C-alpha cells in the first residue's frame, strides 16, 4: 500500500517534469544546428587571398634545440612564410596566471607537441607538406610524465596550497577507525566537436580582427596585444559560438588565435589556423591527472572525524590554469560532507606533458573522487554499506567548509532523501542483491553519489560582467554580453531575460556575437557562472530601459508611473490594456529623445576570499544533488552496462527546463566517461599514445545508461542565481563518479577477495583483472 502510493508519487513527479519540459523554451540554436546553418570559425567567409597556417611542434617531450633547418619547407611552392619566436615584436609569453609559457619555443622544448613555428601557405595542404620538410636537431633531456616523479624531483609550478579546519592530529586520537590509501584519476580529453581554431584579418591602421573559437575573448585580445606589442584596442575579438569548449577553450584557444594574428600582422593578409583533430589532441592539455593519498578517521557511529588528503596534480609543462584548478580541488575535497577536522594540501607538479587545463568541474571532480574512495574503503573494511557513511556525514545548515564559508540553504540532505525515497533505494538494493544471488556470470552493483559544487569563480575578482542592450526604433532588441554560447544554451537564457523584462515576443530579441568592442574586459564563459553573471547584468540593463519606457508611457497616457505595466507587447494601466503598443512606445521614446541603449554592470555581492588565511566566502551559493547508479558487469568479459542512473538535482527554480536537463544528462555522461572508458595514455617518453579517436573512446549511444531519470529537487531556488535558476553547467558531471563505485561493488559481489582499488578509469581490462585476482 505504502509502496503503491509512493510509486504513484514518482509517476506524478515524472509527468509534471514532462509537462514543464513541453512548455519550456527550445534552445534558439536548435533550428540552425539541425539544418547545418550554424556558423563556426571554419564557416565564416574569408577574404580573397587568405592564407592557411599549420603549427610545427616539438617531436619530443624535453630537449635543447640545437638547430632547425626550415630551408626546404620555405622553398616549397605556395609557402608564404614561416614564423618563429624571432618574429614576435612584443613578449613571447602567453601565461595567464603565471608568465611561464612561450607562444613559440625558443631554445628548449618542454612537451611533445609544443609549438615551435607557424607555417603559412596558400593552402592548408601545402603547409602540412612543408611541415614534413623541416629538419630539427634536438638534444634530448630527461622526461617526467607523472606527478609523483615530479614531486620527488622537486619539480613544481608554484608553492603548495593547504586548506585546514580543526585539528586532524588530535581528532585521529578519538577515532575508532582509521584508514589510509592512494588514489589515481586520469586525465580527460575535452573532445569538443569543433577543434581549436581562429581566423585573423587585417583592418585599417594596423588593427586586427580575430574570430576565435574561445571561451575567453578578452584572454585572446589581451594575449594577442601582449605578443604583438600592441595596445588592446587594436585587437578586436569576435565569437559567434563554439562547437563545444568544456573548459578546453578557456585558456587554450588563445595560442592559435595569437599565432594567426601574428601572421596577419606581418603579412597584412587574413590567416586561418584551424587544428586538425590529430594536432589538437597532441598539442593541447586535458583534465589534470591526480595522484593522491588520504587518511580518514571515523567514530564508532561512522562520523567522519578527521580527513587528511594530499593531492598531486599533474600540471604539465606550464601553469596555464593549474593553480586555479588546484584551488578548486581543495574547495571540493570534502564533497557533500561535513568534516570537522580537515587537512588538505595540493601540489601542482610540473611534468613534460602538454599544460593541462580546465575541464568541466575544474579540479572539483578530482577532489571528490578521493573522499568517495576513502569512504568506500572505510565501508568495505568496517563491513557497512558506503551509503550509511555517506548519509550520516551529509552537510547540514550552518556547517563550516574547510575554507571558512558557512553552508546556507543546504540541500545535501534534501536531495539525498528525495532521491533515496522517490527512487526506493532500499528496494533497488534488494533487487541488486537478489539478482546477484541468482546469477554467477553477471553481477550488479549500486552506488550513491551526492554532489555539492560551489558557484562563482574561485578567484573573486573575476566575478563580474556587463551587458549592452539596444532597442532599435522598430522595437526589436539587440543584446551583447560576455556570454559565449558553446552548446550550453546561455544565449537562449539571455534572450529569455530580455523578452521577460520587456514582455515582448522572443522573435523581437536578437543575441549578438560576443565581441570585445561591445563588451570589454570580460571573464571567460566558465565556472558555470556565465548565465548568472551576464544574466544579472542584462537584467539590470533591461530594467533601467523599462523604467525609462514606463515614464514615456505615463507621460503619454497622462497617468502615474505606478499604474503602468508592460504586458504582451502592450502598455497596461492598472491591468487594463491600452492601445499603446510596444512598437509605438519605442517610437514615442525616440521622438522624446530618450536613450534606447543601456549598459549595466553586475558584480556578485557578498563573496570574498583571503588567500593568506585560506578562509572566506568564495561562493555565491552551492548546487546539490544525489545520483543512484546501477550497473551490470559481465564477469566473463569484464565489460559492463549501466542499467540506470536516477538523480534528484537541485536546479533551483529552472528558467529553461529543457536546456538544464540537457546539461544534467550531458554532464553525467561525460563524468561517467571519465571514470570508466576514457583512457589518456602517454608513453614514458611523453608521447601521447591515445592520439586518435580510434584509441580514445568517449561514451556513445551504446554506452550511456539504458535509463536516465533526472528529477528536479523541490526547492525555492536561490536569489544569487539568475531568476533563482541555479548554475547547471558543471555540477552534474560529478554524478558520473558514482559509476566507478557501482562497478567496484559489482566486482566485490563476484570476487570477495578483491582488494578495492581507486585507479580511474575503471576500464573493462581493469575490471577483468579485479574479477579474477586472488
Ligand atoms: N555544455 C555544452 N553543450 N558545451 C560545452 O562546452 N561546457 C561546460 C558546461 N556545459 C559546455 C557545456 C563547462 S566546462 C562550463 S564551465 C559551462 O558549461 C559553461 O557555461 P555556463 O557558465 O553557461 O554554464
Ligand atoms: N572555474 C572555472 N574557471 C576558472 C575558475 C573557476 O573557478 N577560476 C578561474 N578560471
Ligand atoms: Mo568550465 S571547466 O569552467 O570552462
Amino acid at each position: 500500500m505504502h509502496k503503491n502510493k509512493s510509486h504513484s508519487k514518482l509517476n506524478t513527479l515524472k509527468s509534471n517534469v514532462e509537462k514543464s519540459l513541453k512548455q519550456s523554451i527550445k534552445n534558439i540554436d536548435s533550428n540552425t544546428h539541425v539544418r547545418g546553418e550554424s556558423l563556426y570559425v571554419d564557416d565564416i567567409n574569408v577574404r580573397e587571398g587568405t592564407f592557411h597556417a599549420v603549427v610545427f611542434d616539438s617531436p619530443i617531450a624535453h630537449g635543447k634545440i640545437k638547430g632547425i633547418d626550415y630551408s626546404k619547407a620555405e622553398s616549397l611552392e605556395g609557402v608564404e612564410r614561416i614564423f618563429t619566436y624571432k618574429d614576435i615584436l612584443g613578449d613571447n609569453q602567453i601565461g595567464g596566471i603565471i608568465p611561464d609559457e612561450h607562444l613559440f619555443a625558443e631554445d628548449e622544448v618542454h612537451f611533445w607537441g609544443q609549438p615551435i613555428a607557424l607555417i603559412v601557405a596558400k593552402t592548408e595542404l601545402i603547409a602540412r607538406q612543408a611541415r614534413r620538410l623541416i629538419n630539427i636537431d634536438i638534444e634530448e633531456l630527461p622526461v617526467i610524465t607523472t606527478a609523483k616523479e615530479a614531486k620527488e624531483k622537486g619539480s613544481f609550478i608554484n608553492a603548495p596550497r593547504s586548506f585546514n579546519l580543526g585539528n586532524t592530529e588530535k581528532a585521529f586520537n578519538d577515532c575508532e577507525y582509521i584508514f589510509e590509501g592512494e588514489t589515481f584519476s586520469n586525465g580527460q580529453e575535452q573532445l569538443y566537436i569543433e577543434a581549436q581554431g581562429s581566423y585573423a584579418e587585417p583592418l585599417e591602421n594596423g588593427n586586427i580582427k580575430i574570430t576565435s573559437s574561445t571561451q575567453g575573448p578578452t584572454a585572446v585580445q589581451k594575449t594577442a596585444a601582449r605578443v604583438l606589442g600592441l595596445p588592446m584596442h587594436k585587437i578586436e575579438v569576435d565569437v559567434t559560438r563554439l562547437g563545444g569548449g568544456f573548459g578546453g577553450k578557456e585558456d587554450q584557444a588563445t595560442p592559435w588565435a595569437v599565432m594567426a594574428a601574428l601572421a596577419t600582422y606581418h603579412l597584412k593578409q587574413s590567416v586561418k589556423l584551424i587544428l586538425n583533430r590529430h594536432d589538437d589532441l597532441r598539442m593541447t592539455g586535458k583534465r589534470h591527472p591526480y595522484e593522491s593519498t588520504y587518511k580518514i578517521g571515523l567514530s564508532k557511529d561512522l562520523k567522519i572525524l578527521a580527513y587528511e588528503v594530499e593531492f598531486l596534480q599533474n600540471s604539465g609543462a606550464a601553469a596555464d590554469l593549474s593553480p586555479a584548478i588546484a584551488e578548486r580541488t581543495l574547495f571540493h575535497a570534502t564533497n557533500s560532507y561535513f568534516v570537522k577536522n580537515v587537512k588538505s594540501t595540493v601540489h601542482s607538479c610540473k611534468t613534460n606533458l602538454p599544460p593541462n587545463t580546465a575541464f568541466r568541474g575544474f579540479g572539483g571532480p578530482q577532489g571528490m573522487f578521493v573522499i568517495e574512495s576513502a569512504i568506500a574503503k572505510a565501508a568495505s573494511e568496517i563491513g557497512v554499506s558506503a551509503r550509511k557513511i555517506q548519509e550520516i556525514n551529509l552537510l547540514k545548515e550552518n556547517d563550516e567548509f574547510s575554507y571558512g564559508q558557512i553552508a546556507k540553504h543546504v540541500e545535501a540532505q534534501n536531495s539525498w532523501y528525495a532521491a533515496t525515497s522517490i527512487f526506493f533505494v532500499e528496494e533497488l538494493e534488494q533487487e541488486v542483491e537478489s539478482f546477484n544471488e541468482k546469477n554467477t556470470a553477471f553481477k550488479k552493483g549500486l552506488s550513491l553519489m551526492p554532489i555539492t559544487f560551489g558557484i562563482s569563480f574561485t578567484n573573486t575578482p573575476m566575478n563580474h560582467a556587463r551587458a549592452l542592450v539596444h532597442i532599435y526604433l522598430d522595437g526589436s532588441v539587440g543584446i551583447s554580453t560576455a556570454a559565449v554560447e558553446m552548446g550550453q544554451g546561455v544565449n537562449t537564457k539571455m534572450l529569455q531575460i530580455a523578452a521577460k523584462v520587456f514582455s515582448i515576443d522572443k522573435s523581437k530579441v536578437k543575441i549578438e556575437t560576443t565581441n570585445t568592442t561591445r563588451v570589454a574586459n570580460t571573464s571567460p564563459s566558465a565556472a558555470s557562472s556565465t548565465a548568472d553573471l551576464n544574466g544579472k547584468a542584462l537584467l539590470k540593463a533591461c530594467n533601467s530601459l523599462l523604467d525609462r519606457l514606463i515614464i514615456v508611457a505615463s507621460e503619454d497616457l497622462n497617468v502615474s508611473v505606478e499604474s503602468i505595466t508592460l504586458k504582451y507587447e502592450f502598455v497596461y494601466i492598472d491591468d487594463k490594456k491600452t492601445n499603446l503598443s510596444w512598437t509605438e512606445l519605442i517610437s514615442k521614446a525616440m521622438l522624446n529623445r530618450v536613450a534606447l541603449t543601456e549598459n549595466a554592470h553586475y558584480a556578485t555581492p557578498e563573496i570574498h576570499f583571503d588567500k593568506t588565511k585560506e578562509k572566506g566566502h568564495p561562493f555565491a551559493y552551492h548546487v546539490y544533488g544525489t545520483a543512484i547508479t546501477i550497473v551490470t558487469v559481465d564477469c566473463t568479459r569484464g565489460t559492463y552496462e549501466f542499467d540506470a542512473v536516477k538523480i534528484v538535482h537541485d536546479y533551483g527554480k529552472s528558467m529553461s527546463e529543457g536546456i538544464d536537463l540537457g546539461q544534467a544528462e550531458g554532464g553525467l555522461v561525460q563524468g561517467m566517461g571519465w571514470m570508466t572508458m576514457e583512457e589518456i595514455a602517454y608513453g614514458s617518453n611523453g608521447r601521447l599514445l591515445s592520439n586518435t579517436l580510434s584509441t580514445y573512446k568517449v561514451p556513445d549511444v551504446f554506452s550511456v545508461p539504458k535509463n536516465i531519470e533526472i528529477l528536479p529537487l523541490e526547492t525555492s531556488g536561490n536569489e544569487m542565481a539568475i531568476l533563482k535558476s541555479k548554475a547547471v553547467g558543471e555540477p552534474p558531471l560529478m554524478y558520473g563518479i558514482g559509476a566507478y563505485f557501482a562497478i567496484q561493488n559489482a566486482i566485490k559481489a563476484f570476487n570477495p577477495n578483491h582488494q578495492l582499488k581507486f585507479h580511474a578509469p575503471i576500464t573493462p581490462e581493469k575490471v577483468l583483472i579485479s574479477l579474477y585476482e586472488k
Side-chain angles (χ1 to χ4, degrees):
M1 177 62 210
H2 166 73
K3 195 174 125 183
N4 285 341
K5 228 174 163 176
S6 307
H7 275 296
S8 81
K9 188 188 171 201
L10 175 58
N11 288 334
T12 316
L13 281 171
K14 279 198 219 163
S15 78
N16 286 346
V17 168
E18 262 163 44
K19 230 187 280 162
S20 60
L21 278 175
K22 267 191 201 134
Q23 288 161 2
S24 84
I25 188 163
K26 259 211 296 208
N27 189 318
I28 54 169
D29 278 355
S30 53
N31 289 332
T32 53
H33 278 359
V34 295
R35 291 191 192 121
E37 292 170 1
S38 298
L39 298 182
Y40 300 89
V41 174
D42 207 13
D43 300 312
I44 54 175
N45 286 320
V46 298
R47 271 165 52 127
E48 200 175 324
T50 291
F51 289 116
H52 297 264
V54 166
V55 178
F56 171 67
D57 59 306
S58 173
I60 67 165
H62 194 195
K64 265 198 169 57
I65 299 175
K66 307 300 254 184
I68 308 179
D69 181 3
Y70 292 109
S71 59
K72 275 191 199 142
E74 274 165 341
S75 58
L76 185 71
E77 171 78 28
V79 170
E80 182 67 20
R81 191 166 154 185
I82 296 178
F83 294 93
T84 68
Y85 74 93
K86 290 178 185 153
D87 299 298
I88 289 173
L89 300 173
D91 268 353
N92 181 20
Q93 185 49 249
I94 58 169
I97 298 177
I98 299 172
D100 68 349
E101 190 177 357
H102 288 150
L103 179 69
F104 292 125
E106 296 186 359
D107 339 308
E108 275 197 21
V109 285
H110 299 276
F111 64 93
W112 198 306
Q114 181 176 349
I116 297 172
L118 187 74
I119 308 152
V120 178
K122 289 209 159 64
T123 68
E124 188 187 328
L125 187 68
I126 294 171
R128 285 195 181 282
Q129 284 167 338
R131 182 162 75 175
R132 277 185 243 120
L133 300 175
I134 298 173
N135 273 317
I136 183 162
D137 179 16
I138 311 185
E139 179 193 324
E140 295 199 29
L141 293 170
V143 170
I144 302 176
T145 59
T146 68
K148 211 181 236 169
E149 198 188 338
K151 192 189 172 208
E152 279 159 13
K153 295 193 169 147
S155 172
F156 298 109
I157 294 289
N158 58 355
R161 298 268 303 268
S162 292
F163 287 7
N164 299 313
L165 181 70
N167 183 337
T168 50
E169 227 167 278
K170 233 173 87 197
F172 277 121
N173 292 330
D174 303 328
C175 289
E176 176 80 11
Y177 308 107
I178 297 175
F179 306 101
E180 292 177 75
E182 292 180 2
T183 74
F184 173 77
S185 61
N186 206 342
Q188 184 179 23
E189 167 58 44
Q190 289 87 0
L191 215 76
Y192 26 71
I193 292 177
E194 180 196 24
Q196 301 278 7
S198 63
Y199 171 70
E201 50 191 313
L203 306 178
E204 62 179 15
N205 290 323
N207 299 321
I208 294 173
K209 181 176 175 186
I210 304 172
T211 302
S212 166
S213 180
T214 180
Q215 292 173 238
T218 291
V220 168
Q221 181 195 21
K222 184 174 132 189
T223 312
R226 178 185 190 179
V227 172
L228 271 56
L230 296 174
M232 281 172 75
H233 70 204
K234 288 187 103 53
I235 310 280
E236 170 184 349
V237 179
D238 191 82
V239 183
T240 301
R241 68 164 63 67
L242 318 188
F246 303 109
K249 294 171 182 170
E250 180 174 339
D251 235 35
Q252 296 204 2
T254 299
W256 330 111
V258 176
M259 286 176 199
L262 179 73
T264 287
Y265 178 87
H266 286 288
L267 299 173
K268 302 194 169 36
Q269 174 58 288
S270 294
V271 175
K272 193 168 179 175
L273 168 55
I274 296 181
L275 303 189
N276 71 9
R277 183 64 66 186
H278 210 124
D279 286 357
D280 187 309
L281 290 171
R282 184 175 69 256
M283 294 177 192
T284 65
K286 302 153 199 336
R287 183 189 292 288
H288 295 73
Y290 272 62
E291 289 166 271
S292 312
T293 47
Y294 66 83
K295 180 173 173 187
I296 190 169
L298 299 92
S299 68
K300 211 169 159 187
D301 54 2
L302 304 180
K303 268 261 166 218
I304 303 171
L305 298 183
Y307 181 57
E308 287 183 357
V309 58
E310 184 185 68
F311 299 104
L312 304 186
Q313 177 196 60
N314 189 333
S315 313
D320 192 272
L321 291 163
S322 294
I325 291 163
E327 180 179 73
R328 199 175 265 280
T329 301
L330 296 182
F331 282 117
H332 295 91
T334 53
N335 188 17
S336 292
Y337 311 107
F338 172 59
V339 184
K340 233 181 176 165
N341 302 284
V342 181
K343 192 169 151 192
S344 57
T345 300
V346 62
H347 299 269
S348 291
C349 303
K350 192 170 183 164
T351 63
N352 297 109
L353 301 186
N356 284 314
T357 193
F359 193 138
R360 210 170 190 171
F362 206 74
Q366 290 96 319
M368 293 184 192
F369 178 68
V370 183
I371 191 151
E372 293 302 327
S373 297
I375 289 172
K377 170 88 171 174
S380 165
E381 296 286 324
I382 299 168
V384 296
S385 150
R387 169 156 82 85
K388 261 217 178 104
I389 300 180
Q390 291 173 311
E391 183 170 321
I392 288 170
N393 291 286
L394 287 171
L395 273 168
K396 289 187 293 296
E397 201 67 14
N398 298 320
D399 279 344
E400 186 179 350
F401 289 101
S402 69
Y403 46 92
Q405 183 158 346
I406 305 299
K408 296 283 178 192
H409 314 289
V410 181
E411 307 281 12
Q413 289 184 316
N414 290 343
S415 67
W416 175 277
Y417 290 118
T420 53
S421 67
I422 292 170
F423 296 121
F424 309 103
V425 76
E426 280 168 10
E427 229 173 81
L428 294 173
E429 281 178 340
Q430 278 161 22
E431 282 167 22
V432 165
E433 230 170 84
S434 73
F435 177 93
N436 288 345
E437 276 164 22
K438 287 188 209 116
N439 292 277
T440 47
F442 291 86
K443 295 288 180 189
K444 285 189 193 288
L446 179 149
S447 74
L448 272 92
M449 181 66 202
I451 62 146
T452 297
F453 196 78
I455 301 303
S456 287
F457 286 96
T458 55
N459 183 26
T460 303
M462 292 173 79
N463 294 285
H464 62 115
R466 281 151 301 284
L468 176 68
V469 180
H470 299 315
I471 305 174
Y472 293 98
L473 49 88
D474 65 352
S476 65
V477 174
I479 285 168
S480 297
T481 70
V484 169
E485 176 61 52
M486 55 187 119
Q488 88 279 40
V490 70
N491 279 359
T492 307
K493 291 184 177 182
M494 295 304 108
L495 182 145
Q496 283 180 271
I497 292 164
K500 184 183 152 103
V501 174
F502 297 138
S503 199
I504 55 178
D505 190 78
K506 58 183 200 294
S507 62
K508 281 209 160 51
V509 184
K510 179 187 171 204
I511 306 300
E512 303 288 355
T513 63
T514 314
N515 187 299
T516 52
T517 66
R518 273 178 269 113
V519 181
N521 307 328
T522 62
S523 292
S525 285
S528 304
S529 302
T530 314
D532 278 358
L533 296 174
N534 294 279
K536 292 242 177 188
L538 176 59
L539 196 61
K540 255 170 114 169
C542 292
N543 277 325
S544 300
L545 285 163
L546 180 67
D547 289 346
R548 234 173 267 168
L549 292 171
I550 284 175
I551 293 171
V552 174
S554 82
E555 283 170 0
D556 185 68
L557 298 166
N558 214 358
V559 293
S560 74
V561 166
E562 292 73 34
S563 59
I564 300 272
T565 47
L566 265 61
K567 269 192 255 181
Y568 323 113
E569 302 196 358
F570 275 90
V571 174
Y572 280 63
I573 303 175
D574 293 329
D575 286 338
K576 242 189 105 221
K577 189 174 171 182
T578 70
N579 289 327
L580 184 56
S581 71
W582 164 260
T583 319
E584 285 162 335
L585 177 62
I586 299 306
S587 302
K588 295 216 149 105
M590 274 301 282
L591 289 172
N592 290 345
R593 297 184 293 171
V594 172
L596 292 175
T597 287
E598 184 63 23
N599 172 61
H601 171 85
Y602 173 77
T604 313
E606 290 173 37
I607 54 172
H608 55 89
F609 195 72
D610 180 349
K611 280 193 185 176
T612 63
K613 300 193 176 73
E614 302 287 29
K615 296 284 178 196
H617 185 110
F619 297 120
Y621 57 90
H622 289 83
V623 169
Y624 302 87
T626 298
I628 303 170
T629 304
I630 304 172
V631 71
T632 305
V633 171
D634 178 335
C635 302
T636 316
R637 296 175 178 84
T639 54
Y640 41 75
E641 279 184 20
F642 291 93
D643 304 2
V645 180
K646 296 163 187 276
I647 293 172
V648 170
H649 182 75
D650 166 26
Y651 297 102
K653 286 268 174 239
S654 175
M655 63 184 287
S656 333
E657 287 90 346
I659 286 167
D660 287 355
L661 177 63
Q663 284 294 295
E665 290 176 344
L668 162 71
V669 171
Q670 206 165 31
M672 293 177 79
W674 172 52
M675 282 282 109
T676 62
M677 61 195 292
E678 295 183 37
E679 194 167 31
I680 302 257
Y682 286 97
S684 57
N685 60 359
R687 177 172 177 237
L688 180 67
L689 302 174
S690 50
N691 63 351
T692 61
L693 295 189
S694 57
T695 48
Y696 188 77
K697 185 83 183 74
V698 296
D700 57 20
V701 283
F702 301 106
S703 42
V704 297
K706 288 188 213 125
N707 171 18
I708 298 178
E709 286 179 65
I710 305 177
L711 295 177
L713 178 73
E714 287 179 58
T715 158
S716 54
N718 191 300
E719 288 295 344
M720 299 280 265
I722 181 67
L723 304 176
K724 297 192 177 183
S725 182
K726 283 190 172 184
V728 69
E730 294 167 287
L733 181 131
M734 283 146 276
Y735 293 131
I737 296 172
Y740 189 97
F741 297 95
I743 293 174
Q744 182 105 261
N745 288 339
I747 297 171
K748 249 175 53 185
F750 181 83
N751 179 7
N753 291 330
H754 163 59
Q755 288 297 305
L756 296 193
K757 281 170 211 66
F758 305 104
H759 197 279
I762 188 160
T763 55
E765 290 89 331
K766 287 190 203 158
V767 173
L768 197 63
I769 292 167
S770 295
L771 284 167
Y772 295 98
E773 88 185 359
K774 300 251 157 63

